[in-house]
Amino acid sequence: MIPFSDPSASYKSHKDEIDQAIRRVLDSGWYVLGQEVESFEQEFAAFHGPDLHAVGVANGTDAIALALRCLGLGAEDEVITVSHTAVATVAGIEQAGCVPVFTDIEPVTRCMCPKTLQTRISEKTKAIIPVHIFGQPCQMHEIMKVARRLDLSVIEDCSQAHAAEIRGKKVGTFGDLATFSCYPTKNLGAIGDGGVVLCEDPEKAERLKRLRQYGWGNARESLHRGVNSRLDELQAAILRVKLTHLQSDNEKRRRLADLYDHLLGDLPITLPHRNTHELHAMHLYVVECDDRDGLMTHLREQGIGASLHYPLAVHRHRAYAARIRGAEALPNTEAFYQRHLTLPLYPELPDQSVEKIVREVHAWFEKR
């Protein structure tokens, strides 16, 4: 079986360093919000650029909710995002008490369409959450133009795009805040749950630190209505190790994507788009083709973990159907969900496995 993803391979690849980090935490006797979290926050912020601040939280969903609350947003405030995303994006918006609104994606990048975005803005709109889906950077310069013209806040959802770049500038450094998931399958994945909020404003960072722990100030008095969303020391220590390997692991992802591109280029398949001025994080390798269900069935029969990473766009889930503005006009999103298929991709995937996958894709097309 060639798995869709393999978090255990990441652990085995960096086993000695991770084991040492875990032992360091166990020996320290301090397991929540200690030196490991502080060090990871500093290192994560520095990785993205100077004068930035990072705040570790329990998961990526909480990161979105806390980022919105940090901006003072809540009941009746509309937040525009895409339906082509993890349910977590929308769950985080509603967790903050805000109202999600959907806009469409571009067919080429599969990210938020800046032109369609402008048609969704109302007098209640307060923020925009573009999602760097599959590791593909959004058109942040265009989105920021819209936001600044209308005085809207921007929170980048970078959960699938750790270390992606636009013209040498890392995603997560364009908006007012950025959120990251560190779920085990992510490019920067813990061995458990974890999340980060990134921002430039030190006052926002301090507010986030209070919000993640009951709203406590230094005297453990609740200054705000907070929550319990703490990144634990074990996960922080593991993420510190993984962060030192993030760039090289992403390079391995891109090299495997190059191999896929080369071997699949002669087939009637739409391959992931990569702009020359961008650095794609290649979290997932997602293709599009006719009768993708037939291809997926064939690949699975051959022991290949091809998958519909998101079987449904968020607006098609029963929990969200027919209640979110903008869901009635998402033609590009609807078209994408009829054709997309995710092929296995992770840094430790052997070239031979990619070659086997491609052979089976070719074999299926030859039989059609």
Side-chain angles (χ1 to χ4, degrees):
M1 179 70 185
I2 301 175
F4 165 73
S5 64
D6 188 2
S8 67
S10 177
Y11 165 62
K12 293 170 185 174
S13 179
H14 310 302
K15 183 179 187 302
D16 290 343
E17 293 174 84
I18 291 173
D19 287 350
Q20 290 174 20
I22 291 172
R23 175 55 57 188
R24 185 173 68 240
V25 174
L26 296 178
D27 289 343
S28 75
W30 193 302
Y31 306 132
V32 177
L33 289 186
Q35 185 58 52
E36 296 292 343
V37 171
E38 289 184 14
S39 295
F40 171 65
E41 290 173 339
Q42 293 167 3
E43 291 159 7
F44 188 84
F47 176 83
H48 285 85
D51 303 319
L52 294 172
H53 305 272
V55 179
V57 297
N59 53 69
T61 311
D62 283 0
I64 291 170
L66 290 171
L68 288 165
R69 290 190 57 193
C70 177
L71 294 172
L73 303 185
E76 298 188 11
D77 291 329
E78 290 187 348
V79 179
I80 301 176
T81 191
V82 289
S83 182
H84 173 39
T85 183
V87 169
T89 305
V90 181
I93 292 170
E94 294 196 329
Q95 186 176 315
C98 298
V99 179
V101 174
F102 287 138
T103 189
D104 208 0
I105 60 173
E106 298 176 310
V108 175
T109 66
R110 304 149 174 181
C111 292
M112 178 180 282
C113 175
K115 292 182 180 179
T116 310
L117 164 65
Q118 298 180 66
T119 70
R120 301 299 199 266
I121 294 168
S122 76
E123 67 280 358
K124 293 184 178 180
T125 304
K126 295 295 189 294
I128 304 166
I129 300 184
V131 181
H132 303 292
I133 200 74
F134 304 152
Q136 166 69 53
C138 296
Q139 290 194 40
M140 288 309 303
H141 291 101
E142 296 304 314
I143 291 170
M144 293 305 299
K145 286 179 185 176
V146 175
R148 294 302 178 239
R149 187 174 72 248
L150 299 172
D151 194 25
L152 302 176
S153 298
V154 175
I155 299 171
E156 296 176 68
D157 185 340
C158 306
S159 291
Q160 295 188 3
H162 303 84
E165 297 179 4
I166 303 171
R167 300 190 185 278
K169 182 178 172 66
K170 287 185 172 61
V171 301
T173 63
F174 291 86
D176 300 282
L177 300 107
T179 64
F180 298 77
S181 167
C182 297
Y183 187 76
T185 59
K186 305 299 186 186
N187 292 44
L188 180 64
I191 304 180
D193 262 323
V196 189
V197 183
L198 186 71
C199 64
E200 186 174 2
D201 186 342
E203 292 185 6
K204 286 186 175 68
E206 288 304 313
R207 181 176 176 84
L208 284 162
K209 288 179 180 180
R210 293 192 293 269
L211 288 170
R212 74 177 172 188
Q213 185 168 231
Y214 316 123
W216 280 351
N218 292 333
R220 297 179 70 178
E221 176 190 0
S222 292
L223 306 178
H224 323 282
R225 289 185 298 165
V227 298
N228 181 350
S229 182
R230 299 176 292 211
L231 179 65
D232 70 68
E233 289 284 280
L234 278 171
Q235 302 306 333
I238 292 165
L239 289 169
R240 291 182 68 193
V241 172
K242 294 286 197 75
L243 183 61
T244 65
H245 298 284
L246 177 58
Q247 297 280 38
S248 59
D249 282 348
N250 278 1
E251 283 298 331
K252 293 174 184 176
R253 290 174 179 271
R254 284 188 285 269
R255 189 186 65 77
L256 290 170
D258 290 342
L259 183 58
Y260 269 128
D261 286 354
H262 174 68
L263 298 175
L264 292 172
D266 61 341
L267 294 176
I269 291 178
T270 301
L271 305 178
H273 176 73
R274 285 190 272 176
N275 287 324
T276 56
H277 63 276
E278 295 175 349
L279 197 61
H280 200 302
M282 273 301 157
H283 174 59
L284 298 172
Y285 191 87
V286 183
V287 301
E288 299 171 54
C289 66
D290 296 333
D291 191 18
R292 62 85 194 278
D293 290 339
L295 176 56
M296 180 171 64
T297 298
H298 170 76
L299 293 175
R300 288 181 173 180
E301 288 173 349
Q302 306 307 311
I304 296 167
S307 172
L308 303 183
H309 188 67
Y310 299 136
L312 298 170
V314 178
H315 73 283
R316 290 295 184 182
H317 288 254
R318 280 182 286 179
Y320 300 98
R323 71 175 182 83
I324 296 181
R325 184 167 72 81
E328 70 287 350
L330 301 173
N332 294 335
T333 302
E334 298 284 7
F336 175 77
Y337 273 78
Q338 300 302 310
R339 293 170 47 83
H340 75 93
L341 179 65
T342 305
L343 302 180
L345 179 68
Y346 47 93
E348 301 78 19
L349 183 68
D351 287 8
Q352 296 91 328
S353 294
V354 173
E355 291 164 359
K356 172 179 169 55
I357 293 164
V358 171
R359 282 197 303 272
E360 293 301 336
V361 173
H362 276 269
W364 181 78
F365 273 100
E366 289 169 4
K367 290 190 297 185
R368 292 185 70 198

PDB file of all heavy atoms in Angstrom, residues 159-171:
ATOM      1  N   SER A 159      -2.627  27.198   6.952  1.00  0.00           N
ATOM      2  CA  SER A 159      -2.505  25.868   7.540  1.00  0.00           C
ATOM      3  C   SER A 159      -1.953  24.819   6.592  1.00  0.00           C
ATOM      4  O   SER A 159      -1.452  23.782   7.034  1.00  0.00           O
ATOM      5  CB  SER A 159      -3.872  25.410   8.074  1.00  0.00           C
ATOM      6  OG  SER A 159      -4.239  26.193   9.191  1.00  0.00           O
ATOM      7  N   GLN A 160      -2.052  25.067   5.281  1.00  0.00           N
ATOM      8  CA  GLN A 160      -1.495  24.129   4.311  1.00  0.00           C
ATOM      9  C   GLN A 160      -0.321  24.735   3.546  1.00  0.00           C
ATOM     10  O   GLN A 160       0.099  24.183   2.534  1.00  0.00           O
ATOM     11  CB  GLN A 160      -2.580  23.708   3.320  1.00  0.00           C
ATOM     12  CG  GLN A 160      -3.718  22.933   3.947  1.00  0.00           C
ATOM     13  CD  GLN A 160      -4.676  22.381   2.908  1.00  0.00           C
ATOM     14  OE1 GLN A 160      -4.492  22.518   1.715  1.00  0.00           O
ATOM     15  NE2 GLN A 160      -5.727  21.743   3.383  1.00  0.00           N
ATOM     16  N   ALA A 161       0.221  25.824   4.038  1.00  0.00           N
ATOM     17  CA  ALA A 161       1.209  26.553   3.231  1.00  0.00           C
ATOM     18  C   ALA A 161       2.407  27.028   4.042  1.00  0.00           C
ATOM     19  O   ALA A 161       2.971  28.083   3.761  1.00  0.00           O
ATOM     20  CB  ALA A 161       0.537  27.740   2.548  1.00  0.00           C
ATOM     21  N   HIS A 162       2.832  26.243   5.029  1.00  0.00           N
ATOM     22  CA  HIS A 162       4.002  26.630   5.799  1.00  0.00           C
ATOM     23  C   HIS A 162       5.195  26.858   4.866  1.00  0.00           C
ATOM     24  O   HIS A 162       5.584  25.974   4.107  1.00  0.00           O
ATOM     25  CB  HIS A 162       4.377  25.527   6.796  1.00  0.00           C
ATOM     26  CG  HIS A 162       3.279  25.150   7.746  1.00  0.00           C
ATOM     27  ND1 HIS A 162       2.296  24.251   7.410  1.00  0.00           N
ATOM     28  CD2 HIS A 162       3.010  25.538   9.015  1.00  0.00           C
ATOM     29  CE1 HIS A 162       1.473  24.099   8.430  1.00  0.00           C
ATOM     30  NE2 HIS A 162       1.883  24.875   9.422  1.00  0.00           N
ATOM     31  N   ALA A 163       5.760  28.046   4.926  1.00  0.00           N
ATOM     32  CA  ALA A 163       6.975  28.433   4.187  1.00  0.00           C
ATOM     33  C   ALA A 163       6.745  28.689   2.702  1.00  0.00           C
ATOM     34  O   ALA A 163       7.709  28.869   1.955  1.00  0.00           O
ATOM     35  CB  ALA A 163       8.096  27.410   4.369  1.00  0.00           C
ATOM     36  N   ALA A 164       5.495  28.729   2.255  1.00  0.00           N
ATOM     37  CA  ALA A 164       5.232  29.172   0.883  1.00  0.00           C
ATOM     38  C   ALA A 164       5.585  30.657   0.771  1.00  0.00           C
ATOM     39  O   ALA A 164       5.554  31.388   1.769  1.00  0.00           O
ATOM     40  CB  ALA A 164       3.777  28.933   0.513  1.00  0.00           C
ATOM     41  N   GLU A 165       5.891  31.098  -0.447  1.00  0.00           N
ATOM     42  CA  GLU A 165       6.336  32.477  -0.630  1.00  0.00           C
ATOM     43  C   GLU A 165       5.723  33.103  -1.879  1.00  0.00           C
ATOM     44  O   GLU A 165       5.374  32.406  -2.837  1.00  0.00           O
ATOM     45  CB  GLU A 165       7.876  32.538  -0.766  1.00  0.00           C
ATOM     46  CG  GLU A 165       8.632  32.080   0.458  1.00  0.00           C
ATOM     47  CD  GLU A 165      10.145  32.149   0.253  1.00  0.00           C
ATOM     48  OE1 GLU A 165      10.576  32.623  -0.827  1.00  0.00           O
ATOM     49  OE2 GLU A 165      10.882  31.734   1.166  1.00  0.00           O
ATOM     50  N   ILE A 166       5.621  34.430  -1.842  1.00  0.00           N
ATOM     51  CA  ILE A 166       5.250  35.241  -3.008  1.00  0.00           C
ATOM     52  C   ILE A 166       6.346  36.282  -3.189  1.00  0.00           C
ATOM     53  O   ILE A 166       6.554  37.142  -2.334  1.00  0.00           O
ATOM     54  CB  ILE A 166       3.892  35.942  -2.793  1.00  0.00           C
ATOM     55  CG1 ILE A 166       2.791  34.919  -2.482  1.00  0.00           C
ATOM     56  CG2 ILE A 166       3.525  36.776  -4.014  1.00  0.00           C
ATOM     57  CD1 ILE A 166       1.479  35.552  -2.048  1.00  0.00           C
ATOM     58  N   ARG A 167       7.078  36.152  -4.287  1.00  0.00           N
ATOM     59  CA  ARG A 167       8.200  37.067  -4.574  1.00  0.00           C
ATOM     60  C   ARG A 167       9.152  37.196  -3.373  1.00  0.00           C
ATOM     61  O   ARG A 167       9.572  38.286  -2.986  1.00  0.00           O
ATOM     62  CB  ARG A 167       7.690  38.434  -5.003  1.00  0.00           C
ATOM     63  CG  ARG A 167       6.834  38.400  -6.271  1.00  0.00           C
ATOM     64  CD  ARG A 167       6.545  39.785  -6.821  1.00  0.00           C
ATOM     65  NE  ARG A 167       5.631  39.712  -7.958  1.00  0.00           N
ATOM     66  CZ  ARG A 167       6.015  39.425  -9.214  1.00  0.00           C
ATOM     67  NH1 ARG A 167       7.292  39.192  -9.467  1.00  0.00           N
ATOM     68  NH2 ARG A 167       5.114  39.382 -10.187  1.00  0.00           N
ATOM     69  N   GLY A 168       9.472  36.064  -2.761  1.00  0.00           N
ATOM     70  CA  GLY A 168      10.435  36.028  -1.670  1.00  0.00           C
ATOM     71  C   GLY A 168       9.878  36.384  -0.304  1.00  0.00           C
ATOM     72  O   GLY A 168      10.606  36.329   0.688  1.00  0.00           O
ATOM     73  N   LYS A 169       8.611  36.724  -0.228  1.00  0.00           N
ATOM     74  CA  LYS A 169       7.973  37.093   1.037  1.00  0.00           C
ATOM     75  C   LYS A 169       7.057  35.943   1.459  1.00  0.00           C
ATOM     76  O   LYS A 169       6.198  35.500   0.683  1.00  0.00           O
ATOM     77  CB  LYS A 169       7.174  38.382   0.861  1.00  0.00           C
ATOM     78  CG  LYS A 169       6.489  38.905   2.118  1.00  0.00           C
ATOM     79  CD  LYS A 169       5.781  40.222   1.798  1.00  0.00           C
ATOM     80  CE  LYS A 169       4.904  40.726   2.936  1.00  0.00           C
ATOM     81  NZ  LYS A 169       5.679  41.106   4.125  1.00  0.00           N
ATOM     82  N   LYS A 170       7.234  35.466   2.674  1.00  0.00           N
ATOM     83  CA  LYS A 170       6.492  34.287   3.120  1.00  0.00           C
ATOM     84  C   LYS A 170       5.010  34.596   3.326  1.00  0.00           C
ATOM     85  O   LYS A 170       4.649  35.675   3.822  1.00  0.00           O
ATOM     86  CB  LYS A 170       7.098  33.716   4.400  1.00  0.00           C
ATOM     87  CG  LYS A 170       8.427  33.002   4.176  1.00  0.00           C
ATOM     88  CD  LYS A 170       8.927  32.346   5.439  1.00  0.00           C
ATOM     89  CE  LYS A 170      10.142  31.487   5.137  1.00  0.00           C
ATOM     90  NZ  LYS A 170      11.278  32.231   4.588  1.00  0.00           N
ATOM     91  N   VAL A 171       4.158  33.645   2.954  1.00  0.00           N
ATOM     92  CA  VAL A 171       2.740  33.799   3.264  1.00  0.00           C
ATOM     93  C   VAL A 171       2.598  33.856   4.784  1.00  0.00           C
ATOM     94  O   VAL A 171       3.391  33.281   5.527  1.00  0.00           O
ATOM     95  CB  VAL A 171       1.896  32.655   2.660  1.00  0.00           C
ATOM     96  CG1 VAL A 171       2.039  32.604   1.150  1.00  0.00           C
ATOM     97  CG2 VAL A 171       2.233  31.301   3.290  1.00  0.00           C
TER      98      VAL A 171
END
